[in-house]
Amino acid sequence: MTLRTAVDVSVDAMIEDLRTLVEIESPSRDHDALGASAKTVAAVIESRLGGHAALVESEAGPHVHWSGGGEPRVLILGHHDTVFPLGTLERRPFEVADGHATGPGVFDMLGGLVQAVHGLAALDDLSGVEILVTADEEVGSHSSRALIEERALACGAVLVFEGAADGGALKTGRKGCGSFQVSITGRASHAGLEPEAGVNALIEAAHQVLDIAALGRPEAGTTVTPTVASAGTLDNVVPAEAVLHVDVRVETADEKDRVEAAFATLAPHLPGAQISVHGSIGRPPMPQSASAGLFAVARQLLPGLEGRSVGGGSDGNFTAALGVATLDGLGAVGGGAHADHEYVVIDAMAERANLVAGLVRALRHAPADGNRRHLPKDGYGKRPTRE
């Protein structure tokens, strides 16, 4: 495939910047590491694009924000936190071999950040372009969500540089996702002398696991998956407490509301047992309507490009729910996110950098209401107004 009106990017330079970012480890919730990472991300942006990349302090760590000036037109969105603890680099250093770049965070999502910056660097005019690189995407984006939504509404179009889907496809839809914790309180007693005097929290948990799993509706794209359970203290004590953790994914706002209501009304089966529920579906669904206009532009630039709806969430879920046109999966082509075999396909890096350049060029010259807004079709969020 040949990208139309290609720009000149250096793969060697991208690899060196990728090495720089990977070798500054940035595990979520490690403020010192994230502080060093944010400064490095800002330095890479400034060295390639000029201007000033500001560090926006937060309780989760510093976010990085850069603007090309002028009226905001497009937001480049990513994150610099990773899931790997400090010391991972020593065991799994950055390497380039057999057409792949490997190392912690190389695919999710430092490779995408590098491609975005180098694609932008090849453009003559970056007015209207903003970059936001957050510090807490991997742990829920609690400190960055308000800033993400503010800049998305201001810009009117969002390009998310999470890693591509399998085969290099863009991510044109995402499920909403969240987690719940179900805590069960029973009553302890001696398991041999008087088990009937207790209220067995583990048995109650077993009932709840079955009730919770039954909330899934695969035909509607809804998965409700109990993932972690703990109960009891000793093998001769009737368990007085149990805790369940549940992963939830939904495709529509109606399903989000249904599942959240069902968790709120969970009831105990055993007399004397008590249940408390915490959690929600924090990332709303990203419907395919959010990406339709932008994906059409991407396919004009790169004929044959595929789009795919995926189960995982990203910060693009937040921007799409506001009615802001959002296209995801524009980052590195590769795989192994969150795993030891994480990798980036080097031969695809230049093409993806060219794709961001082409999309940004098109968005900077598009009418304000062209591909820059979408009206949510799933009843979630509302169409924003441009201020």
Side-chain angles (χ1 to χ4, degrees):
M1 295 182 291
T2 302
L3 190 69
R4 299 179 183 179
T5 60
V7 296
D8 184 24
V9 294
S10 167
V11 174
D12 288 342
M14 283 194 281
I15 289 173
E16 285 310 304
D17 282 349
L18 181 55
R19 179 190 298 276
T20 297
L21 295 184
V22 171
E23 291 182 347
I24 301 293
E25 295 182 279
S26 54
S28 304
R29 297 194 175 99
D30 187 320
H31 283 234
D32 290 340
L34 290 169
S37 172
K39 291 178 181 178
T40 304
V41 170
V44 168
I45 292 173
E46 291 174 352
S47 69
R48 300 298 178 184
L49 305 181
H52 174 61
L55 301 187
V56 182
E57 297 295 335
S58 80
E59 61 184 11
H63 314 309
V64 182
H65 181 243
W66 179 92
S67 173
E71 180 186 6
R73 301 283 288 180
V74 55
L75 177 66
I76 304 297
L77 183 58
H79 64 89
H80 66 99
D81 64 317
T82 68
V83 301
F84 301 102
L86 288 180
T88 302
L89 187 70
E90 182 177 358
R91 175 175 58 84
R92 190 159 57 88
F94 180 83
E95 292 182 350
V96 176
D98 301 324
H100 290 173
T102 57
V106 69
F107 177 68
D108 188 12
M109 61 167 288
L110 302 176
L113 293 180
V114 168
Q115 290 168 185
V117 169
H118 281 255
L120 293 175
L123 297 176
D124 294 331
D125 186 359
L126 293 176
S127 60
V129 179
E130 294 191 18
I131 301 173
L132 178 59
V133 185
T134 64
D136 63 345
E137 192 275 343
E138 296 289 5
V139 290
S141 304
H142 301 295
S143 76
S144 59
R145 180 174 180 175
L147 179 60
I148 291 166
E149 293 178 336
E150 172 195 314
R151 298 324 307 157
L153 286 168
C155 291
V158 178
L159 304 178
V160 185
F161 282 81
E162 294 283 357
D166 290 347
L170 300 188
K171 295 173 180 176
T172 52
R174 286 184 178 273
K175 290 185 179 183
C177 52
S179 60
F180 292 83
Q181 177 179 301
V182 180
S183 299
I184 299 161
T185 302
R187 184 171 60 249
S189 67
H190 195 292
L193 295 178
E194 49 177 1
E196 69 283 353
V199 177
N200 195 316
L202 179 55
I203 292 177
E204 181 61 49
H207 285 292
Q208 294 301 320
V209 164
L210 296 176
D211 290 347
I212 290 166
L215 297 175
R217 287 184 179 173
E219 72 280 3
T222 300
T223 59
V224 181
T225 309
T227 54
V228 179
S230 61
T233 53
L234 295 171
D235 60 3
N236 62 350
V237 178
V238 171
E241 296 181 345
V243 178
L244 306 173
H245 294 269
V246 186
D247 178 274
V248 177
R249 311 282 166 146
V250 299
E251 287 187 355
T252 67
D254 286 345
E255 280 295 278
K256 171 186 181 294
D257 293 342
R258 180 187 69 82
V259 172
E260 288 182 337
F263 270 95
T265 57
L266 287 175
H269 289 252
L270 302 182
Q274 297 179 332
I275 294 175
S276 64
V277 178
H278 301 279
S280 65
I281 300 173
R283 291 186 192 271
M286 174 183 160
Q288 288 193 320
S289 59
S291 63
L294 294 175
F295 183 60
V297 176
R299 291 203 69 174
Q300 290 176 353
L301 294 165
L302 198 57
L305 188 63
E306 295 184 357
R308 191 166 302 161
S309 290
V310 297
S314 81
D315 288 334
N317 291 57
F318 298 135
T319 63
L322 294 172
V324 178
T326 302
L327 185 58
D328 205 336
L330 286 159
V333 176
H338 299 187
D340 282 352
H341 66 280
E342 185 177 19
Y343 69 95
V344 167
V345 177
I346 292 172
D347 283 350
M349 293 182 73
E351 183 177 78
R352 288 305 165 109
N354 270 272
L355 182 57
V356 63
L359 283 166
V360 168
R361 185 188 293 114
L363 285 166
R364 287 189 60 256
H365 294 96
D369 290 330
N371 295 304
R372 297 159 50 79
R373 300 289 184 191
H374 82 96
L375 187 62
K377 296 180 179 179
D378 298 312
Y380 195 98
K382 60 182 180 180
R383 186 180 179 92
T385 56
R386 184 69 178 267
E387 297 180 359

